[in-house]
Amino acid sequence: VSAELRRDRMQTAWDTYGRYIIGLAVAIVVITAASIGVSGYSRSQDEAASSRYDAMRASLTDLDTQTQLSALTEFAAAEDNGYGVLARFSMAFLHVEDNNTAAALEAFDGLSNDGSVPDGMQNYARLQGAIVAINSGAALEEIEARLEYLMDEDNGLLPMARETMALAYMRDDRLLEARDLWLAQLADANASS
């Protein structure tokens, strides 16, 4: 009798909740499949963008600067992903190689102020802009303004920003301020040896 009562309760529970259990199982399978599909699609898109970037860079090797800049500009406009950002960095560095300081600073500033660019890349653009500014003889205030955000204790680029700022102070013969930054650099466990 107790076995029949148990079976009747199980049958009643199944009749009441069975379709929900099956629906939950199907939902889990569908969500898992969709997640795997989206991940695979995203990976294939990234691989395709990587191949396009490599092919574009290989085609630029023996071209003049203007042609390279045009190709990089086209690529950056067409790619709304990390490879488009990489092409923008390549353009900025190409301006540096071409001694076009104004264009290089404009490119790095554009990257550092673009909210669609990841924070780490924005910070790297700020650092590179400060380095270009030092090499071009920019005013110390401009360099300080470029590095101000990076001089925060929580910023991963702090050691490099500190070195860059110390070099700017040395260039402007402010040796005591440079020494303070170098001493902070030596005491920082996160700074490379």
PDB file of all heavy atoms in Angstrom, residues 8 35 46 60 79 81 85 90 102-103 115 129 142 148 184:
ATOM      1  N   ASP A   8       1.759   6.900  -6.592  1.00  0.00           N
ATOM      2  CA  ASP A   8       0.706   7.853  -6.916  1.00  0.00           C
ATOM      3  C   ASP A   8       1.175   9.290  -6.688  1.00  0.00           C
ATOM      4  O   ASP A   8       0.891  10.193  -7.486  1.00  0.00           O
ATOM      5  CB  ASP A   8      -0.545   7.581  -6.074  1.00  0.00           C
ATOM      6  CG  ASP A   8      -1.303   6.350  -6.539  1.00  0.00           C
ATOM      7  OD1 ASP A   8      -1.057   5.913  -7.684  1.00  0.00           O
ATOM      8  OD2 ASP A   8      -2.128   5.838  -5.750  1.00  0.00           O
ATOM      9  N   SER A  35      25.428  29.650 -26.370  1.00  0.00           N
ATOM     10  CA  SER A  35      26.667  30.214 -25.832  1.00  0.00           C
ATOM     11  C   SER A  35      27.880  29.687 -26.591  1.00  0.00           C
ATOM     12  O   SER A  35      28.777  30.450 -26.955  1.00  0.00           O
ATOM     13  CB  SER A  35      26.772  29.884 -24.344  1.00  0.00           C
ATOM     14  OG  SER A  35      28.006  30.290 -23.836  1.00  0.00           O
ATOM     15  N   ASP A  46      37.228  37.023 -35.005  1.00  0.00           N
ATOM     16  CA  ASP A  46      38.531  37.543 -34.578  1.00  0.00           C
ATOM     17  C   ASP A  46      39.666  36.965 -35.417  1.00  0.00           C
ATOM     18  O   ASP A  46      40.603  37.677 -35.778  1.00  0.00           O
ATOM     19  CB  ASP A  46      38.773  37.235 -33.093  1.00  0.00           C
ATOM     20  CG  ASP A  46      37.902  38.079 -32.180  1.00  0.00           C
ATOM     21  OD1 ASP A  46      37.339  39.088 -32.653  1.00  0.00           O
ATOM     22  OD2 ASP A  46      37.787  37.721 -30.982  1.00  0.00           O
ATOM     23  N   LEU A  60      52.094  46.307 -46.958  1.00  0.00           N
ATOM     24  CA  LEU A  60      52.589  47.672 -46.775  1.00  0.00           C
ATOM     25  C   LEU A  60      54.111  47.776 -46.711  1.00  0.00           C
ATOM     26  O   LEU A  60      54.637  48.893 -46.669  1.00  0.00           O
ATOM     27  CB  LEU A  60      52.015  48.272 -45.483  1.00  0.00           C
ATOM     28  CG  LEU A  60      50.510  48.406 -45.390  1.00  0.00           C
ATOM     29  CD1 LEU A  60      50.119  49.001 -44.038  1.00  0.00           C
ATOM     30  CD2 LEU A  60      49.962  49.248 -46.518  1.00  0.00           C
ATOM     31  N   GLU A  79      37.196  48.084 -39.700  1.00  0.00           N
ATOM     32  CA  GLU A  79      37.216  47.114 -38.607  1.00  0.00           C
ATOM     33  C   GLU A  79      36.781  47.769 -37.304  1.00  0.00           C
ATOM     34  O   GLU A  79      37.436  48.667 -36.799  1.00  0.00           O
ATOM     35  CB  GLU A  79      38.631  46.533 -38.431  1.00  0.00           C
ATOM     36  CG  GLU A  79      39.137  45.761 -39.607  1.00  0.00           C
ATOM     37  CD  GLU A  79      38.425  44.430 -39.813  1.00  0.00           C
ATOM     38  OE1 GLU A  79      37.922  43.838 -38.838  1.00  0.00           O
ATOM     39  OE2 GLU A  79      38.383  43.985 -40.967  1.00  0.00           O
ATOM     40  N   ASN A  81      36.813  46.583 -34.259  1.00  0.00           N
ATOM     41  CA  ASN A  81      37.276  45.602 -33.272  1.00  0.00           C
ATOM     42  C   ASN A  81      38.689  45.977 -32.828  1.00  0.00           C
ATOM     43  O   ASN A  81      39.182  47.058 -33.144  1.00  0.00           O
ATOM     44  CB  ASN A  81      37.239  44.188 -33.884  1.00  0.00           C
ATOM     45  CG  ASN A  81      37.991  44.107 -35.201  1.00  0.00           C
ATOM     46  OD1 ASN A  81      38.999  44.771 -35.396  1.00  0.00           O
ATOM     47  ND2 ASN A  81      37.502  43.293 -36.120  1.00  0.00           N
ATOM     48  N   VAL A  85      41.685  49.142 -33.762  1.00  0.00           N
ATOM     49  CA  VAL A  85      42.455  49.928 -32.793  1.00  0.00           C
ATOM     50  C   VAL A  85      43.945  49.728 -33.034  1.00  0.00           C
ATOM     51  O   VAL A  85      44.731  50.686 -33.009  1.00  0.00           O
ATOM     52  CB  VAL A  85      42.078  49.533 -31.344  1.00  0.00           C
ATOM     53  CG1 VAL A  85      42.986  50.211 -30.336  1.00  0.00           C
ATOM     54  CG2 VAL A  85      40.621  49.880 -31.070  1.00  0.00           C
ATOM     55  N   SER A  90      49.181  51.702 -35.171  1.00  0.00           N
ATOM     56  CA  SER A  90      50.196  51.615 -36.229  1.00  0.00           C
ATOM     57  C   SER A  90      50.327  52.940 -36.969  1.00  0.00           C
ATOM     58  O   SER A  90      51.439  53.362 -37.303  1.00  0.00           O
ATOM     59  CB  SER A  90      49.849  50.493 -37.216  1.00  0.00           C
ATOM     60  OG  SER A  90      49.888  49.240 -36.581  1.00  0.00           O
ATOM     61  N   ALA A 102      53.037  66.448 -34.764  1.00  0.00           N
ATOM     62  CA  ALA A 102      51.660  66.926 -34.579  1.00  0.00           C
ATOM     63  C   ALA A 102      50.655  65.829 -34.905  1.00  0.00           C
ATOM     64  O   ALA A 102      49.697  65.605 -34.154  1.00  0.00           O
ATOM     65  CB  ALA A 102      51.415  68.157 -35.451  1.00  0.00           C
ATOM     66  N   ALA A 103      50.880  65.117 -36.008  1.00  0.00           N
ATOM     67  CA  ALA A 103      49.964  64.036 -36.395  1.00  0.00           C
ATOM     68  C   ALA A 103      50.045  62.878 -35.406  1.00  0.00           C
ATOM     69  O   ALA A 103      49.025  62.254 -35.079  1.00  0.00           O
ATOM     70  CB  ALA A 103      50.277  63.564 -37.804  1.00  0.00           C
ATOM     71  N   GLY A 115      36.250  56.480 -26.049  1.00  0.00           N
ATOM     72  CA  GLY A 115      35.619  55.599 -25.067  1.00  0.00           C
ATOM     73  C   GLY A 115      35.428  54.171 -25.550  1.00  0.00           C
ATOM     74  O   GLY A 115      35.242  53.266 -24.741  1.00  0.00           O
ATOM     75  N   GLY A 129      51.869  59.240 -26.094  1.00  0.00           N
ATOM     76  CA  GLY A 129      51.746  60.666 -26.400  1.00  0.00           C
ATOM     77  C   GLY A 129      52.705  61.501 -25.572  1.00  0.00           C
ATOM     78  O   GLY A 129      53.314  62.452 -26.071  1.00  0.00           O
ATOM     79  N   GLU A 142      52.488  70.340 -20.448  1.00  0.00           N
ATOM     80  CA  GLU A 142      51.766  69.460 -21.369  1.00  0.00           C
ATOM     81  C   GLU A 142      52.073  68.000 -21.054  1.00  0.00           C
ATOM     82  O   GLU A 142      51.179  67.151 -21.064  1.00  0.00           O
ATOM     83  CB  GLU A 142      52.154  69.774 -22.820  1.00  0.00           C
ATOM     84  CG  GLU A 142      51.447  68.897 -23.826  1.00  0.00           C
ATOM     85  CD  GLU A 142      51.883  69.145 -25.260  1.00  0.00           C
ATOM     86  OE1 GLU A 142      52.453  70.206 -25.544  1.00  0.00           O
ATOM     87  OE2 GLU A 142      51.635  68.251 -26.085  1.00  0.00           O
ATOM     88  N   GLU A 148      49.198  62.752 -15.993  1.00  0.00           N
ATOM     89  CA  GLU A 148      48.503  62.925 -14.713  1.00  0.00           C
ATOM     90  C   GLU A 148      47.639  61.709 -14.372  1.00  0.00           C
ATOM     91  O   GLU A 148      47.687  61.189 -13.263  1.00  0.00           O
ATOM     92  CB  GLU A 148      47.648  64.184 -14.766  1.00  0.00           C
ATOM     93  CG  GLU A 148      46.864  64.434 -13.501  1.00  0.00           C
ATOM     94  CD  GLU A 148      46.015  65.690 -13.607  1.00  0.00           C
ATOM     95  OE1 GLU A 148      45.879  66.254 -14.705  1.00  0.00           O
ATOM     96  OE2 GLU A 148      45.490  66.082 -12.564  1.00  0.00           O
ATOM     97  N   ALA A 184      61.252  56.770  -5.888  1.00  0.00           N
ATOM     98  CA  ALA A 184      59.964  56.069  -5.810  1.00  0.00           C
ATOM     99  C   ALA A 184      59.960  54.859  -6.732  1.00  0.00           C
ATOM    100  O   ALA A 184      59.414  53.799  -6.395  1.00  0.00           O
ATOM    101  CB  ALA A 184      58.825  57.020  -6.159  1.00  0.00           C
TER     102      ALA A 184
END
